[in-house]
Amino acid sequence: MPLAAGLALALLTLPVSEAFAEPKPTLAQAKKKLERLNEQADQVVEKYNQASEKWKRARKKYQTLNDDLTRQNEQVAGLRKELVTMAVSTYQVGVINSWEGMIQQSDPGALLSGLAAADQLSTSRAQSLSAFDEATKALRTSRDEAKKALTEADETRDDLAGEKAKADKMVRAQTKLLRELDVFKTGNPESSGIQYNGSASGNARAALQFAFAQVGKPYQYGGTGPGGWDCSGLVQGAWRSGGVTLPRTTWEQWSWGASRKVSLSELQPGDLIFSEGLGHVSMYAGNGQIVHAPQTGDVVKVVPLSAYGRRIVGAVRP
């Protein structure tokens, strides 16, 4: 049998999936794909974090307005009860306090008292009616605002669900590839980390001590501790322990530090280093090292800045 015919026959006898299977990617190709996935994941995770923060703010706004609405409902109910009581009282003593009854009074003192009581009742009634009217208007306004805030919260919740679905998909792809490369790290949520012995002082030292105590804990997208962290959650938590309140996401942290930017040549321990189009943030630890929560399948770690391997955008000093 000619060689070409034999090769054709061999291909025909193989299962379709084997005959036309794509070659398995090399280790270098798999690592390159992982780099692309990690870069994309940085952006996807931060969009998820942005949506999460927006939803939290919308929910808090609604809860605040709804609490105000409850208080106003109680106020209006109290004023309504007061008006009913006044109306019943007026009906019961109306004959005595009527103009006809007062005019027929032979005692001038009684007549003056009656007139004063009628005037007082009229003024009190007018004030109560006015208060009830104003409270009712405010109640309607609060109801409209609370309804609008609830709609906003529902919309942001839907946005959050969409971003979470994208993040979940990205994590599955990263996890699959990392397991194929046999480099997936589960980390230890109970890790006590390592001790910081650098030169930082004051708030920066407290922040770095906290960050180093998280070393070994797993990266977890959306993670704000204590058992897992994402990059912006880690620096936020670290600097919170140092007495400085940072926003939640990398983009917000970069904007927050607009007036605190420093050059890479002026880095000091505790400074934040932003990279990958603001999709990632780490903390400078001094001595040419950084501490950060890298990406899915990895753990909080300390690495040389020279081996960071990310495109740096700039740095901020909290």
Side-chain angles (χ1 to χ4, degrees), residues 59-279:
R59 183 182 60 176
K60 184 177 180 180
K61 179 181 177 182
Y62 166 70
Q63 288 173 338
T64 298
L65 287 170
N66 200 45
D67 289 344
D68 289 342
L69 182 61
T70 300
R71 285 192 293 270
Q72 288 179 346
N73 262 319
E74 292 171 353
Q75 181 186 6
V76 168
L79 288 169
R80 182 181 290 110
K81 183 177 180 180
E82 182 182 321
L83 286 174
V84 170
T85 301
M86 184 179 294
V88 171
S89 176
T90 301
Y91 171 77
Q92 290 174 341
V93 301
V95 175
I96 298 174
N97 286 332
S98 67
W99 286 106
E100 181 182 357
M102 284 186 291
I103 290 171
Q104 291 176 355
Q105 288 286 345
S106 57
D107 182 1
L111 174 59
L112 290 173
S113 296
L115 288 170
D119 182 61
Q120 185 179 10
L121 180 61
S122 177
T123 302
S124 178
R125 180 186 298 163
Q127 290 174 343
S128 295
L129 284 170
S130 177
F132 178 78
D133 185 50
E134 290 300 317
T136 303
K137 288 178 181 177
L139 181 62
R140 283 196 295 267
T141 300
S142 293
R143 279 176 179 164
D144 291 343
E145 291 177 348
K147 184 177 180 180
K148 182 180 178 182
L150 180 59
T151 300
E152 290 174 356
D154 286 342
E155 289 173 352
T156 55
R157 181 189 59 195
D158 293 341
D159 291 341
L160 176 60
E163 295 301 336
K164 185 178 186 303
K166 294 176 187 176
D168 286 343
K169 182 178 179 180
M170 185 66 67
V171 166
R172 286 195 296 271
Q174 287 174 291
T175 300
K176 181 175 182 293
L177 189 52
L178 286 166
R179 292 195 185 284
E180 288 175 356
L181 293 169
D182 198 26
V183 292
F184 186 91
K185 298 177 183 176
T186 57
N188 177 13
E190 303 298 326
S191 173
S192 57
I194 59 178
Q195 187 174 356
Y196 174 72
N197 295 313
S199 61
S201 59
N203 292 354
R205 186 171 189 84
L208 282 164
Q209 285 175 332
F210 180 94
F212 272 54
Q214 312 311 307
V215 168
K217 290 185 178 181
Y219 172 91
Q220 177 185 336
Y221 89 84
T224 55
W229 302 90
D230 65 16
C231 64
S232 54
L234 176 64
V235 299
Q236 183 192 44
W239 269 103
R240 185 190 300 119
S241 79
V244 178
T245 301
L246 295 180
R248 170 65 181 95
T249 71
T250 55
W251 294 317
E252 290 172 326
Q253 289 168 359
W254 176 256
S255 297
W256 174 88
S259 62
R260 301 174 173 85
K261 292 183 174 61
V262 295
S263 68
L264 295 180
S265 62
E266 299 172 327
L267 284 175
Q268 292 181 9
D271 289 349
L272 307 184
I273 302 173
F274 294 85
S275 58
E276 303 297 352
L278 300 183

